[in-house]
Amino acid sequence: MSTGSGNGEQEPTEGTHSVIGTEQSDQTQIPIDSKLRFLDARTDGPLIHVAVTGSNPPPGYAPKVEYWSRRDALKADIMTLESTPFTNRPGSAGYPKEFTDWIAGGNVLATAQEASPQQWIPGIYQLTAPINALYWAVDPDAPSTARIGLLVECGAANELLNVVWYKMKQPTNGLIFQQVPSKLTFTKLPSTDPRAIDQKANWHHYHGTMRLL
């Protein structure tokens, strides 16, 4: 099934596009020094929070690392991704508490922020967890023609184990987003095969090594 059917019923809601962060020259998957959250689009309940460090992380955290925190079981059919900068600037007195509070309340995984084009592997990712869900969204880099995928892997107790990104072709610089969306809607698919998004695409996937804190 191609999500670009043009009937309007499956098109995600596109938000405004903005580059968020303080060090945009870095090769990063998600903007550094920023907060992301995935919400259940029907209830606005938080599902996943992500905090991303830059070169000046709070004490106890590593530089240029994504910290993923699962806040609730991933049962939503539609998720809304929202991206915002931290209210407190890195290095300020309020930054460590804001960072820690954002990822508190769930099991937290850490993964490196930087990726190379070679780390985007052609083909289909081999599942490794008992619970898996694939979501698709409009690719902010080419919203009229391209789609992206987000595969979430969870354990038997719904704990977050892994996240895998899909692009319709290998990014030339390793970035998942050339244009960072402030809001993006992800819709769950009945399959974990990205060809359910688009059968003709030359799908590539990326997943970093995620470690439990």
Side-chain angles (χ1 to χ4, degrees), residues 29 68 119-121 123-128 132-135 148-153 160-167 176 186 192 194 204-208 210:
Q29 292 300 306
W68 290 69
Q119 288 175 284
W120 285 85
I121 302 169
I124 312 304
Y125 172 78
Q126 298 299 310
L127 302 176
T128 61
N132 304 275
L134 177 62
Y135 293 83
I148 59 174
L150 176 64
L151 176 69
V152 182
E153 294 196 303
L160 185 63
L161 297 179
N162 194 24
V163 292
V164 178
W165 290 102
Y166 277 105
K167 293 275 278 188
I176 178 63
F186 285 81
T192 57
H204 285 68
H205 64 271
Y206 167 80
H207 69 96
M210 304 196 80

Side-chain angles (χ1 to χ4, degrees), residues 107-122:
N107 78 293
V108 180
L109 297 176
T111 186
Q113 170 65 193
E114 298 181 335
S116 68
Q118 292 71 31
Q119 288 175 284
W120 285 85
I121 302 169

Side-chain angles (χ1 to χ4, degrees), residues 15-21 24 28-32 34-36 81-84 140-141 175-184:
T16 57
H17 296 165
S18 61
V19 176
I20 303 169
Q24 289 303 316
T28 57
Q29 292 300 306
I30 298 172
I32 58 176
S34 68
K35 301 184 296 186
L36 284 75
L81 169 64
E82 297 180 346
S83 176
T84 61
D141 299 333
L175 302 180
I176 178 63
F177 296 129
Q178 305 295 326
Q179 293 185 330
V180 180
S182 59
K183 182 176 289 187
L184 192 64

